[in-house]
């Protein structure tokens, strides 16, 4: 912690970057877009997305949103599919450590801003937290109607019949709604929105969440938002109501139920286990003494361990 | 108008030195933006802004100046109400620090600054945005607001858990009827920012307003 404390006293300011990389005019432009996004929940605000020192697809939209709201007293958590220590999360966390010198954390409850690639932490977010989503394709109607002029008009006229047809075709083909991620939602009874490719398991968390949600799509140059306590309804039918995935076993390491699980292959003989996708949640539960059915398995040992030293870095 | 614009810098230097902007442009603007963003995300709640260092020319207030320095630049045409428009120092301050073009037609403005809220022109005269691009509407910033002393209205909608009370003052007589009409045309409509002495509140177009029963 002492290392980051030193960084906060402006070491980087004398260096090559403005605080949090972006120049002030860019931040102002993005900040104005964020305000519009908040005022029109679920509406995609166009913004002049900048080229970032990372390729599109690495979360340039989320990074630009985070850089524009970030202050020197913030504490940042970066997750990639629920995990704090996978490639995308590690490199983006390093980006902000280098360009803004802010404190970072693995702990959901300690963070003031959580930037995420496609998961929402299992632990409910608080009013004083902000969650920033990295979005690849913000337009929920894009695969149904490729023309931006047309999708704009459809949003303007609240013409969302096509989306229901898509969900209906799912039922006709598969017997159930087969959309499992990027599951479309209706925000505040008005705009249909893509909650980014989060598993639909996380959709109920978006509804009336206490934290402010900001969504940034860098390549597609769109920002949108959901204010706290906004009604967000996953689209469905009366006879085919929205439901989330269910797992028939608990997390192998911490025994948690009703959480989103990742399948991990343990060997080349068919050995596998299911563990929490939210690595911080899993670790915290194990620290509290919860153990799952596979926690003692020697093959599973290397999966949960070895993280603590990185947190203290 | 062009004549006034040309003589402005001269006047400004004669009357007083140009008032400084943020002491720490990066972090002061960030701090003020977070206050405005949180205000917009939680309609009707008050959020403190650091204004002690700002000494903008009257009738621009420190909180109003902080909002202007945070949000305005060459991309944002700004409309000023009559009292602000009358002050060359205010126009000089905004032009120098933000570079924002000052426009005379409210419908052309991205932001409107109002120092005399009692004389506020109709909200409908500002840009309301279009059905396809509702984000192009004007954001109206009301200065000199006192919170808690005005007519109490009830707020509901995104950003509010159940309902909230809001009572800013001064606002013009038919103001709340206009705000209700503004909400009815959602997603089009203006957003409102209320700047007090050291606090900021906001009322996005998404907020549903109920007047007290009288």
């Amino acid at each position: 912690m002492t290392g980051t404390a030193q960084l906060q006293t402006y070491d980087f300011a004398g260096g090559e970057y403005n605080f949090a990389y972006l120049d002030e005019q860019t931040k102002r432009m993005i900040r104005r877009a964020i305000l519009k996004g908040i005022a029109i929940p679920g509406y995609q605000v166009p913004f002049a997305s900048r080229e970032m020192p990372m390729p599109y697809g690495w979360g340039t939209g989320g990074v630009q949103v985070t850089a524009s709201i970030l202050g020197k007293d913030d504490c940042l958590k970066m997750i990639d599919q629920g995990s704090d220590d996978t490639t995308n999360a590690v490199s983006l966390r390093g980006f902000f450590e280098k360009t803004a010198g802010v404190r970072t954390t693995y702990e959901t409850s300690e963070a003031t801003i959580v930037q995420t690639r496609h998961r929402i932490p299992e632990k409910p977010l608080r009013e004083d937290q902000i969650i920033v989503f990295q979005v690849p394709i913000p337009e929920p109607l894009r695969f149904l109607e490729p023309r931006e002029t047309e999708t704009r008009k459809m949003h303007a006229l609240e013409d969302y019949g096509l989306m229901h047809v898509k969900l209906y075709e799912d039922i006709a083909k598969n017997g159930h709604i087969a959309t499992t991620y990027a599951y479309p939602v209706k925000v505040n009874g008005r705009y249909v929105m893509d909650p980014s490719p989060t598993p639909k398991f996380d959709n109920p968390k978006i509804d009336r969440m206490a934290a402010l949600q900001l969504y940034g799509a860098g390549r597609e140059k769109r920002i949108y938002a959901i204010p706290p306590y906004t009604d967000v309804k996953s689209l469905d039918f009366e006879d085919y109501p929205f439901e989330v995935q269910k797992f028939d076993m608990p997390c192998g390491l911490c025994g948690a139920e009703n959480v989103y699980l990742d399948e991990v292959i343990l060997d080349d003989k068919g050995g596998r286990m299911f563990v929490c996708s939210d690595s911080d949640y899993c670790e915290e539960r194990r620290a509290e003494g919860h153990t799952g059915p596979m926690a003692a398995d020697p093959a599973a040992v290397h999966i949960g361990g070895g993280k603590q030293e990185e947190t203290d870095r | 108008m062009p004549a006034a614009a040309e003589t402005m810098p001269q006047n400004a230097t004669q009357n007083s030195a140009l008032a400084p902007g943020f002491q720490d442009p990066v972090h002061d603007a960030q701090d003020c933006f977070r206050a405005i963003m949180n205000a917009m995300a939680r309609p009707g709640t008050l959020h403190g802004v650091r204004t002690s260092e700002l000494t903008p020319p009257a009738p621009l207030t420190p909180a109003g100046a902080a909002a202007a320095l945070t949000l305005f630049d060459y991309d944002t045409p700004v409309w000023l109400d009559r009292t602000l428009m009358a002050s060359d120092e205010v126009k000089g301050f905004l032009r120098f620090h933000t570079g924002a073009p000052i426009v005379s037609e409210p419908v052309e403005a991205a932001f409107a600054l109002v120092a005399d809220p009692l004389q506020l022109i109709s909200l409908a005269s500002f840009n309301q945005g279009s059905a396809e691009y509702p984000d192009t509407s004007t954001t109206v910033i009301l200065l000199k607001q006192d919170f808690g002393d005005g007519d109490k209205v009830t707020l509901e909608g995104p950003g509010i858990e159940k309902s909230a009370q809001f009572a800013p003052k001064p606002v013009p007589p038919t103001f709340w009827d206009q705000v209700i009409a503004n909400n009815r045309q959602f997603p089009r409509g203006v957003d409102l920012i209320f700047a007090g002495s050291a606090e900021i509140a906001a009322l996005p177009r998404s907020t549903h307003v109920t007047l007290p029963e009288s």
Side-chain angles (χ1 to χ4, degrees), chain A residues 27-282:
Chain A
K27 286 186 196 168
R28 267 194 304 273
M29 174 270 297
I30 292 172
R31 285 167 180 168
R32 292 192 296 259
I34 291 172
L35 292 184
K36 294 291 187 185
I38 293 170
I40 319 167
Y43 166 76
Q44 302 160 46
V45 186
F47 81 111
S49 179
R50 300 296 193 242
E51 212 168 305
M52 299 300 283
M54 62 199 75
Y56 288 137
W58 275 80
T60 53
V63 166
Q64 289 179 79
V65 169
T66 299
S68 302
I69 63 173
L70 191 68
K72 54 185 191 299
D73 298 329
D74 274 313
C75 181
L76 193 59
K77 174 182 166 79
M78 282 278 178
I79 50 174
D80 171 7
Q81 305 285 5
S83 174
D84 291 277
D85 55 2
T86 42
T87 315
N88 192 232
V90 169
S91 57
L92 294 188
R93 186 183 309 112
F95 174 78
F96 280 111
E97 280 171 351
K98 182 171 183 183
T99 61
V102 292
R103 212 154 55 85
T104 58
T105 183
Y106 280 24
E107 282 171 44
T108 304
S109 52
E110 202 190 345
T112 55
I113 300 173
V114 180
Q115 183 177 324
T116 173
R117 175 170 171 269
H118 321 335
R119 263 323 299 286
I120 298 171
E122 304 290 357
K123 191 181 277 183
L125 297 175
R126 301 184 310 264
E127 281 195 1
D128 59 338
Q129 295 178 304
I130 301 167
I131 182 163
V132 178
F133 294 79
Q134 303 167 200
V135 181
I137 298 182
E139 178 52 75
L141 304 166
R142 183 60 71 233
F143 291 108
L144 307 169
E145 170 53 68
R147 289 166 296 179
E148 170 71 11
T149 47
E150 290 304 304
T151 53
R152 280 261 148 207
K153 215 168 277 170
M154 289 157 80
H155 282 296
L157 299 173
E158 215 177 331
D159 176 8
Y160 296 127
L162 203 52
M163 187 54 95
H164 277 100
V165 172
K166 186 213 173 233
L167 296 176
Y168 167 76
E169 283 181 346
D170 262 10
I171 296 170
K173 271 190 206 149
N174 306 301
H176 60 100
I177 298 178
T179 306
T180 54
Y181 64 95
Y183 192 101
V185 294
K186 197 165 205 182
V187 182
N188 194 32
R190 178 58 181 82
Y191 281 100
V192 164
M193 189 198 94
D194 181 347
S196 90
T198 50
K200 70 175 176 181
F201 183 87
D202 284 337
N203 274 22
K205 295 181 190 147
I206 300 173
D207 182 30
R208 298 191 65 80
M209 185 192 272
L212 169 66
Q213 305 168 53
L214 301 174
Y215 295 77
R219 181 187 52 217
E220 302 291 320
K221 303 176 173 56
R222 295 290 185 274
I223 284 172
Y224 50 107
I226 303 179
Y229 305 117
T230 302
D231 293 327
V232 180
K233 194 182 176 312
S234 303
L235 298 183
D236 60 0
F237 299 95
E238 272 173 29
D239 48 347
Y240 285 89
F242 171 79
E243 48 187 29
V244 298
Q245 296 99 319
K246 288 195 183 68
F247 297 90
D248 48 10
M249 57 182 76
C251 166
L253 292 175
C254 77
E257 291 176 23
N258 302 317
V259 295
Y260 196 73
L261 302 179
D262 283 341
E263 181 182 7
V264 179
I265 306 294
L266 296 175
D267 50 38
D268 54 5
K269 299 182 207 67
R272 58 186 193 144
M273 69 187 297
F274 287 87
V275 294
C276 289
S277 137
D278 185 338
S279 57
D280 170 59
Y281 182 79
C282 193

Side-chain angles (χ1 to χ4, degrees), chain A residues 10 18-19 24-25 28 31-32 36 38-40 43 69-71 74 127 130 152 156 188 191 208 210 228 230, chain B residues 24 27 30 33-34 41-42 70-71 73-76 131-135 137 139 158-159 161 187 191 205:
Chain A
Y10 270 74
N18 187 27
F19 179 79
E24 290 303 299
Q25 200 276 331
R28 267 194 304 273
R31 285 167 180 168
R32 292 192 296 259
K36 294 291 187 185
I38 293 170
I40 319 167
Y43 166 76
I69 63 173
L70 191 68
D74 274 313
E127 281 195 1
I130 301 167
R152 280 261 148 207
N188 194 32
Y191 281 100
R208 298 191 65 80
T230 302
Chain B
D24 183 347
H27 295 106
Q30 187 275 337
F33 168 71
R34 278 286 273 273
R42 294 170 173 80
T70 302
L71 298 171
D73 58 31
Y74 55 77
D75 269 347
T76 58
E132 270 107 354
Y133 291 93
D135 57 299
S137 64
T139 300
E161 189 169 7
D191 304 315
R205 66 195 80 177

